[in-house]
Amino acid sequence: MTKLTETRKTPKRKKPDGHCSPSPCPPSKSSKKANVTAGPFNDSEPFPDYSQPTPEECRAVRDDLLALHGFPKEFIKYRKQRSLDHIEYEEDDTSGADSSTESVLDGLINTILSQNTTEANSQKAFASLKSSFPTWECVLAADAKLVEDTIRCGGLAPTKTSCIKGILSSLLQKKGNLCLEYLRELSIEEIKRELSCFRGIGPKTVACVLMFQLQRDDFPVDTHIFQIAKTLHWVPAAADVKKTYIHLNQRIPDELKFDLNCLIYTHGKVCRECSGKGSNKPKKEQCDKLCPLLGQSSNAI
């Protein structure tokens, strides 16, 4: 398995293909040295005396799940992009540039559509939205009912439409165009503050954008990951999702976060033995008693 490099450089990026409005994103006026975090992301240690998971435990789980599942295909494109993140491109260099790079705004809205639905339905909803409206300006200008009909297959259409149009309207008022690429130049703390200002955007959505679109070392906690973290005793039994997110981000080594998150998420969808919140439907990949994590959880206390 190829290890992700810990040292990051800020690359000279190619602009994502056709995602931003003609005018460039306005630069942030805030300093990258700012380290004040928004309320939902208060990073004070919630469990200062809780020593799990150790780096060795994280690496062992990563290796076991990788041997069991292989690296999940749906996340390979993001993994490749993280590799490219270490390469500095010249602005006039077209070799090796990925013209299909997903824009930050696309990723944010795609994540919103993925909430409370299946991956297949959310992808259908996003594809339908993109094919029905050529630009995000068109989505903002469209009647809400029309947008709702376009994304209805993803569930919660009225709520998600309101959230999406609210983000687009707020972004236009704040920045003058519908583009979030300026976030690539900000610190993690600044990105969290910027995204948390949008109505309906919570910590998990922000963490997903950080990890997938912005290639930052963050560890989102969804239902599957939360349950498996408890099964492995990586957090105290009384921990909630918010404290689990803070604790795991402080305990898991940065270089393991991306692979480990993708693998635990994938494992949680197919293993009911260690993920009580997983699907009850039988699956070909069901591991049940063969789950490699069960032995680790029994020795974790």
Side-chain angles (χ1 to χ4, degrees), residues 1 5 29 82 85 91 112 140 148 150 153 160 166 171 178 183 186 197 205 215 236 243 247 264 287 297:
M1 172 180 176
T5 307
K29 295 181 181 179
R82 293 177 72 87
D85 195 40
E91 292 185 2
I112 292 168
L140 179 58
E148 288 175 21
T150 304
C153 61
K160 292 177 181 179
L171 183 57
L178 300 183
L183 294 179
L186 305 185
C197 288
T205 297
Q215 294 84 45
K243 291 181 178 179
H247 179 74
I264 292 180
C287 53
S297 65

Side-chain angles (χ1 to χ4, degrees), residues 41-265:
F41 297 96
N42 190 318
D43 58 1
S44 59
E45 174 58 75
F47 312 116
D49 299 323
Y50 205 85
S51 60
Q52 291 174 276
T54 65
E56 292 73 24
E57 288 171 333
C58 294
R59 193 166 286 104
V61 169
R62 189 274 310 274
D63 292 345
D64 286 345
L65 293 183
L66 191 61
L68 179 65
H69 299 295
F71 193 79
K73 292 181 180 179
E74 64 267 33
F75 299 125
I76 287 178
K77 65 177 181 179
Y78 298 110
R79 197 165 186 257
K80 288 181 178 178
Q81 185 59 42
R82 293 177 72 87
S83 299
L84 292 174
D85 195 40
H86 303 294
I87 302 175
E88 291 192 9
Y89 295 113
E90 294 299 330
E91 292 185 2
D92 59 348
D93 179 19
T94 58
S95 63
D98 183 4
S99 61
S100 63
T101 299
E102 187 176 44
S103 77
V104 181
L105 184 55
D106 275 26
L108 174 61
I109 292 178
N110 201 354
T111 303
I112 292 168
L113 291 174
S114 72
Q115 296 169 357
N116 301 107
T117 190
T118 64
E119 187 172 335
N121 285 340
S122 71
Q123 291 304 313
K124 287 179 183 178
F126 184 72
S128 176
L129 187 64
K130 294 288 285 184
S131 63
S132 299
F133 301 98
T135 66
W136 292 119
E137 286 81 3
C138 293
V139 174
L140 179 58
D143 182 79
K145 290 295 183 182
L146 182 58
V147 178
E148 288 175 21
D149 290 340
T150 304
I151 65 172
R152 198 169 301 282
C153 61
L156 299 176
T159 300
K160 292 177 181 179
T161 295
S162 177
C163 181
I164 291 169
K165 287 177 75 69
I167 289 170
L168 296 177
S169 177
S170 177
L171 183 57
L172 186 62
Q173 291 178 15
K174 183 178 180 181
K175 294 294 182 180
N177 59 17
L178 300 183
C179 179
L180 286 173
E181 298 307 304
Y182 72 93
L183 294 179
R184 298 187 187 277
E185 305 303 321
L186 305 185
S187 68
I188 288 180
E189 291 78 14
E190 288 173 319
I191 293 168
K192 289 178 177 180
R193 286 202 305 274
E194 288 278 310
L195 291 178
S196 296
C197 288
F198 295 122
R199 182 181 176 186
I201 301 301
K204 187 181 79 171
T205 297
V206 174
C208 286
V209 172
L210 277 168
M211 186 173 75
F212 291 115
Q213 278 70 49
L214 297 173
Q215 294 84 45
R216 303 300 180 91
D217 296 318
D218 210 71
F219 197 84
V221 175
D222 77 328
T223 303
H224 300 301
I225 291 174
F226 178 56
Q227 184 62 35
I228 290 179
K230 286 198 166 187
T231 299
L232 293 173
H233 304 287
W234 281 7
V235 291
D240 59 16
V241 172
K242 176 182 173 182
K243 291 181 178 179
T244 297
Y245 168 77
I246 296 171
H247 179 74
L248 293 184
N249 268 282
Q250 293 179 343
R251 298 293 307 176
I252 297 174
D254 282 348
E255 70 273 15
L256 296 178
K257 284 179 179 176
F258 180 80
D259 282 12
L260 190 58
N261 195 278
C262 294
L263 287 162
I264 292 180
Y265 169 80

Side-chain angles (χ1 to χ4, degrees), residues 24-39:
C25 293
S28 171
K29 295 181 181 179
S30 56
S31 169
K32 289 187 180 182
K33 294 182 180 180
N35 57 10
V36 179
T37 306

